[in-house]
Amino acid sequence: MSVDMNGGGTAALARIRVVLSRTSHPGNIGAAARAMKTMGLSRLVLVSPKRLPDEQTVAMAAGADDLVASATISDDMTSALAGCVRVVGVTARRRELSAPFAWAREAAVDCIAAAREGEVALLFGNETSGLGNDEIALCQQLLMIPTDEVYRSLNLAAAVQIVAYELRLAAIEQGAPPAIAEAGEAATHEDVERLAEHLERAATASGFLDPAQPKRLMQRMRRMFARARLEREEVNILRGMLSSFEKKVD
Amino acid sequence: MSVDMNGGGTAALARIRVVLSRTSHPGNIGAAARAMKTMGLSRLVLVSPKRLPDEQTVAMAAGADDLVASATISDDMTSALAGCVRVVGVTARRRELSAPFAWAREAAVDCIAAAREGEVALLFGNETSGLGNDEIALCQQLLMIPTDEVYRSLNLAAAVQIVAYELRLAAIEQGAPPAIAEAGEAATHEDVERLAEHLERAATASGFLDPAQPKRLMQRMRRMFARARLEREEVNILRGMLSSFEKKVD
C-alpha cells in the first residue's frame, strides 16, 4: 500500500457531495458536517430540511462550520443531484424494486471509481423515516452499513461518519502508520546476548537459577527478548538495573 | 463478506469492553453507547467521568440506554482494565515512548484475534485532551483512525462508531482463529501492572531508580512489556527473579 502523494485521492473526494434530505434536527446537520470534514469531504447539500441550520448546527459542527456556511440548501432534489454521474442512497433496510445493494465498503470503492469520472452524490434520508420511495427511485446504487441484527439505529451523523470513513480509505490508500520518529535504535544480536548472559549471571548469584537444574529458563528469557524486539537503550537500562542488583549483593 | 452464523464472531465482540476515560459531556456517553450497540458491542466502562450519566445521556443513547444502565463506573483504571489480555488505546496523534501504532482496520483484526483468547479493552480519552501519558503507558497497542490531515477533530462517539464498525466487520468476516503454535496464556493487565510495580520497588531499593528523579524509566519499562505481549508464566518468572534479588539485598 502506498500513500497517494499527488492528490489523486483527495481530488476524488472533492467530487463527492453529501445530500441530506428532510433532516429533522439542526444539530445532526452540524454533526454530519463535522463527520464529513474529518474525512476530507467538503460539499454538503441540504434538501428541504425541517429546520434550517441554526446555532445548534454550528455548535455540533465544531470547526466544520465552514461546510455548513457553504452548504447548498434547496427544496428541489433535481437541482441537488444536478451533474451527478452516480447517486448512491444510504439505507438501513432492503427495498423492493430498487437499485442493487452493496455493503458500505464495496460501495465506497465504487463511488471513488465513479468520482474519478464525474460528480457523485451520497443521499441520506430523514432520521426517522429514512429515504422515501421517490428518493430511492433516483439511486443507481444502495449502500447498507452492516449493523447488529436487532439494534440497527444508527444516528444520522454516525452513518455519515462511517460512509465518509470508507470513502476516505477507498480514495487514499493508507501507507504504514506514521513512522514513530523516536522509536529507538534496535538492539543487535550481540547486545541481546550480553543481556542474556548478564541476566543468567545475576540470577545464578541470587540463587534463583540453579546451574545444575537450569530447566529452560534462559531459553524462555531469550524467546521473550526476541518477541519484545528490544531497543539498544532498553538493553542498557536492563543491564544497569542488573548491575545495581548485583552491587547490593556484594 | 460472509456472515458468521454460528455466533463465533459475536462471541468475540462480547469480550470487548469500551472504556471511556474522563469523559466531559454526558451526551457523548449516550451517543457512544448507541454507536456501540449498533455494532453489537455491549460492555461500557466509565472511568472518572467529569459528570455522571444523566438525562442527556439517555436521550443521546436512544434505544441503547440499557448499555448506560449496565455500565461500570469507577475512579480506578486498574479495576476498569481488570482481566484484560489486551489494552488498545485510541489516539489521534503519535506519542513518544508508546506501544506500536496501527490503523483502525488492522488494529480491529488484532483485537478480535485477542478477544478469542481473553478480555480486550478499547480505551478512549477525554474529548479535548485525549489519552494521558499514564493511560498511554497501559496500552499494548495504539489505534489511529485515518483522518483529513488538517481537520482531525473526530467527535468521541464518532470515533467509537468507527472503531466499533471495524470490530464488527473483523469479527464477522474472520474465519477460524489462527492457530498459535506454542504461545502460552497471555498475561492480564493486572499481572503486568504487578510486575511493573515489583520492578519499580526493586530498582528503588537497589538504588538504580531515584524516586526524586525517576525520569521516564517506568514509562519505558511498561512500553517494553507492552511490546513483548508477556505471557503469564513469564511474569511469574520475572517476579520470582526480582524477589531473589530483593532477598539477597536483605
Side-chain angles (χ1 to χ4, degrees), chain A residues 191-211:
Chain A
D191 294 330
V192 178
E193 274 309 296
R194 276 193 290 264
L195 170 62
E197 288 160 12
H198 197 159
L199 185 75
E200 187 167 10
R201 254 191 338 267
T204 306
S206 78
F208 182 78
L209 173 61
D210 176 1

mmCIF file of all heavy atoms in Angstrom, chain A residues 191-211:
data_model
loop_
_atom_site.group_PDB
_atom_site.id
_atom_site.type_symbol
_atom_site.label_atom_id
_atom_site.label_comp_id
_atom_site.label_asym_id
_atom_site.label_seq_id
_atom_site.Cartn_x
_atom_site.Cartn_y
_atom_site.Cartn_z
ATOM 1 N N ASP A 191 24.098 -7.335 21.543
ATOM 2 C CA ASP A 191 23.539 -6.620 22.700
ATOM 3 C C ASP A 191 22.645 -7.552 23.508
ATOM 4 O O ASP A 191 22.725 -7.622 24.729
ATOM 5 C CB ASP A 191 22.675 -5.432 22.242
ATOM 6 C CG ASP A 191 23.469 -4.335 21.541
ATOM 7 O OD1 ASP A 191 24.656 -4.161 21.874
ATOM 8 O OD2 ASP A 191 22.874 -3.652 20.674
ATOM 9 N N VAL A 192 21.757 -8.242 22.796
ATOM 10 C CA VAL A 192 20.773 -9.089 23.473
ATOM 11 C C VAL A 192 21.469 -10.276 24.127
ATOM 12 O O VAL A 192 21.125 -10.684 25.237
ATOM 13 C CB VAL A 192 19.679 -9.556 22.479
ATOM 14 C CG1 VAL A 192 18.680 -10.478 23.177
ATOM 15 C CG2 VAL A 192 18.944 -8.354 21.898
ATOM 16 N N GLU A 193 22.491 -10.806 23.469
ATOM 17 C CA GLU A 193 23.238 -11.923 24.061
ATOM 18 C C GLU A 193 23.921 -11.502 25.347
ATOM 19 O O GLU A 193 23.922 -12.223 26.341
ATOM 20 C CB GLU A 193 24.266 -12.474 23.065
ATOM 21 C CG GLU A 193 23.689 -13.517 22.135
ATOM 22 C CD GLU A 193 22.962 -14.610 22.912
ATOM 23 O OE1 GLU A 193 23.609 -15.340 23.682
ATOM 24 O OE2 GLU A 193 21.718 -14.713 22.769
ATOM 25 N N ARG A 194 24.527 -10.308 25.322
ATOM 26 C CA ARG A 194 25.200 -9.829 26.541
ATOM 27 C C ARG A 194 24.189 -9.637 27.670
ATOM 28 O O ARG A 194 24.471 -9.940 28.825
ATOM 29 C CB ARG A 194 25.950 -8.532 26.251
ATOM 30 C CG ARG A 194 27.343 -8.778 25.659
ATOM 31 C CD ARG A 194 28.198 -7.530 25.657
ATOM 32 N NE ARG A 194 27.706 -6.560 24.695
ATOM 33 C CZ ARG A 194 28.174 -6.423 23.451
ATOM 34 N NH1 ARG A 194 29.167 -7.187 23.022
ATOM 35 N NH2 ARG A 194 27.674 -5.517 22.643
ATOM 36 N N LEU A 195 23.002 -9.164 27.308
ATOM 37 C CA LEU A 195 21.944 -9.019 28.317
ATOM 38 C C LEU A 195 21.556 -10.383 28.885
ATOM 39 O O LEU A 195 21.432 -10.556 30.105
ATOM 40 C CB LEU A 195 20.717 -8.338 27.689
ATOM 41 C CG LEU A 195 19.451 -8.323 28.554
ATOM 42 C CD1 LEU A 195 19.686 -7.540 29.855
ATOM 43 C CD2 LEU A 195 18.285 -7.719 27.775
ATOM 44 N N ALA A 196 21.394 -11.354 27.995
ATOM 45 C CA ALA A 196 21.001 -12.694 28.449
ATOM 46 C C ALA A 196 22.064 -13.277 29.376
ATOM 47 O O ALA A 196 21.750 -13.863 30.423
ATOM 48 C CB ALA A 196 20.764 -13.606 27.237
ATOM 49 N N GLU A 197 23.330 -13.087 29.009
ATOM 50 C CA GLU A 197 24.414 -13.613 29.857
ATOM 51 C C GLU A 197 24.447 -12.921 31.215
ATOM 52 O O GLU A 197 24.661 -13.543 32.251
ATOM 53 C CB GLU A 197 25.761 -13.442 29.147
ATOM 54 C CG GLU A 197 25.933 -14.408 27.981
ATOM 55 C CD GLU A 197 27.012 -13.936 26.996
ATOM 56 O OE1 GLU A 197 27.778 -12.996 27.343
ATOM 57 O OE2 GLU A 197 27.070 -14.489 25.877
ATOM 58 N N HIS A 198 24.230 -11.608 31.160
ATOM 59 C CA HIS A 198 24.222 -10.829 32.397
ATOM 60 C C HIS A 198 23.087 -11.306 33.311
ATOM 61 O O HIS A 198 23.273 -11.525 34.513
ATOM 62 C CB HIS A 198 24.050 -9.336 32.048
ATOM 63 C CG HIS A 198 24.427 -8.408 33.159
ATOM 64 N ND1 HIS A 198 24.751 -7.087 32.960
ATOM 65 C CD2 HIS A 198 24.524 -8.588 34.500
ATOM 66 C CE1 HIS A 198 25.018 -6.508 34.118
ATOM 67 N NE2 HIS A 198 24.890 -7.398 35.066
ATOM 68 N N LEU A 199 21.928 -11.506 32.715
ATOM 69 C CA LEU A 199 20.766 -11.975 33.487
ATOM 70 C C LEU A 199 21.059 -13.336 34.088
ATOM 71 O O LEU A 199 20.748 -13.604 35.255
ATOM 72 C CB LEU A 199 19.537 -12.053 32.558
ATOM 73 C CG LEU A 199 18.219 -12.409 33.238
ATOM 74 C CD1 LEU A 199 17.688 -11.212 34.032
ATOM 75 C CD2 LEU A 199 17.174 -12.823 32.196
ATOM 76 N N GLU A 200 21.678 -14.190 33.315
ATOM 77 C CA GLU A 200 21.983 -15.540 33.786
ATOM 78 C C GLU A 200 22.938 -15.479 34.989
ATOM 79 O O GLU A 200 22.742 -16.177 35.988
ATOM 80 C CB GLU A 200 22.613 -16.345 32.636
ATOM 81 C CG GLU A 200 22.802 -17.807 32.973
ATOM 82 C CD GLU A 200 23.127 -18.646 31.725
ATOM 83 O OE1 GLU A 200 23.385 -18.052 30.655
ATOM 84 O OE2 GLU A 200 23.115 -19.880 31.836
ATOM 85 N N ARG A 201 23.956 -14.616 34.876
ATOM 86 C CA ARG A 201 24.917 -14.445 35.985
ATOM 87 C C ARG A 201 24.212 -13.970 37.245
ATOM 88 O O ARG A 201 24.378 -14.526 38.328
ATOM 89 C CB ARG A 201 25.965 -13.402 35.582
ATOM 90 C CG ARG A 201 27.307 -13.965 35.259
ATOM 91 C CD ARG A 201 28.428 -12.954 35.108
ATOM 92 N NE ARG A 201 28.125 -11.580 34.798
ATOM 93 C CZ ARG A 201 28.078 -11.050 33.554
ATOM 94 N NH1 ARG A 201 28.304 -11.800 32.493
ATOM 95 N NH2 ARG A 201 27.832 -9.764 33.386
ATOM 96 N N ALA A 202 23.405 -12.915 37.080
ATOM 97 C CA ALA A 202 22.745 -12.325 38.247
ATOM 98 C C ALA A 202 21.769 -13.310 38.881
ATOM 99 O O ALA A 202 21.674 -13.407 40.110
ATOM 100 C CB ALA A 202 22.024 -11.034 37.837
ATOM 101 N N ALA A 203 21.043 -14.041 38.035
ATOM 102 C CA ALA A 203 20.044 -14.987 38.576
ATOM 103 C C ALA A 203 20.728 -16.168 39.247
ATOM 104 O O ALA A 203 20.201 -16.747 40.195
ATOM 105 C CB ALA A 203 19.119 -15.456 37.455
ATOM 106 N N THR A 204 21.906 -16.515 38.763
ATOM 107 C CA THR A 204 22.657 -17.592 39.404
ATOM 108 C C THR A 204 23.183 -17.125 40.757
ATOM 109 O O THR A 204 23.051 -17.815 41.764
ATOM 110 C CB THR A 204 23.825 -18.035 38.490
ATOM 111 O OG1 THR A 204 23.300 -18.369 37.208
ATOM 112 C CG2 THR A 204 24.552 -19.225 39.079
ATOM 113 N N ALA A 205 23.755 -15.901 40.773
ATOM 114 C CA ALA A 205 24.300 -15.361 42.023
ATOM 115 C C ALA A 205 23.213 -15.203 43.083
ATOM 116 O O ALA A 205 23.446 -15.429 44.272
ATOM 117 C CB ALA A 205 24.974 -14.001 41.755
ATOM 118 N N SER A 206 22.036 -14.853 42.678
ATOM 119 C CA SER A 206 20.956 -14.624 43.660
ATOM 120 C C SER A 206 20.323 -15.929 44.111
ATOM 121 O O SER A 206 19.491 -15.934 45.009
ATOM 122 C CB SER A 206 19.883 -13.721 43.051
ATOM 123 O OG SER A 206 19.053 -14.463 42.162
ATOM 124 N N GLY A 207 20.694 -17.019 43.460
ATOM 125 C CA GLY A 207 20.134 -18.305 43.836
ATOM 126 C C GLY A 207 18.854 -18.662 43.088
ATOM 127 O O GLY A 207 18.294 -19.737 43.283
ATOM 128 N N PHE A 208 18.373 -17.762 42.222
ATOM 129 C CA PHE A 208 17.130 -18.050 41.500
ATOM 130 C C PHE A 208 17.337 -19.141 40.466
ATOM 131 O O PHE A 208 16.481 -20.002 40.279
ATOM 132 C CB PHE A 208 16.600 -16.776 40.820
ATOM 133 C CG PHE A 208 15.290 -16.987 40.105
ATOM 134 C CD1 PHE A 208 14.095 -17.034 40.827
ATOM 135 C CD2 PHE A 208 15.245 -17.138 38.726
ATOM 136 C CE1 PHE A 208 12.880 -17.224 40.181
ATOM 137 C CE2 PHE A 208 14.032 -17.338 38.075
ATOM 138 C CZ PHE A 208 12.845 -17.387 38.815
ATOM 139 N N LEU A 209 18.486 -19.104 39.838
ATOM 140 C CA LEU A 209 18.795 -20.092 38.805
ATOM 141 C C LEU A 209 19.818 -21.084 39.340
ATOM 142 O O LEU A 209 20.890 -20.690 39.777
ATOM 143 C CB LEU A 209 19.349 -19.379 37.551
ATOM 144 C CG LEU A 209 19.878 -20.280 36.431
ATOM 145 C CD1 LEU A 209 18.771 -21.185 35.887
ATOM 146 C CD2 LEU A 209 20.450 -19.422 35.307
ATOM 147 N N ASP A 210 19.458 -22.342 39.317
ATOM 148 C CA ASP A 210 20.370 -23.394 39.746
ATOM 149 C C ASP A 210 21.037 -23.972 38.503
ATOM 150 O O ASP A 210 20.370 -24.646 37.704
ATOM 151 C CB ASP A 210 19.564 -24.467 40.491
ATOM 152 C CG ASP A 210 20.438 -25.662 40.884
ATOM 153 O OD1 ASP A 210 21.664 -25.640 40.595
ATOM 154 O OD2 ASP A 210 19.886 -26.612 41.457
ATOM 155 N N PRO A 211 22.354 -23.724 38.346
ATOM 156 C CA PRO A 211 23.022 -24.168 37.111
ATOM 157 C C PRO A 211 22.924 -25.680 36.924
ATOM 158 O O PRO A 211 22.994 -26.170 35.802
ATOM 159 C CB PRO A 211 24.482 -23.743 37.317
ATOM 160 C CG PRO A 211 24.451 -22.722 38.394
ATOM 161 C CD PRO A 211 23.286 -23.056 39.267
#
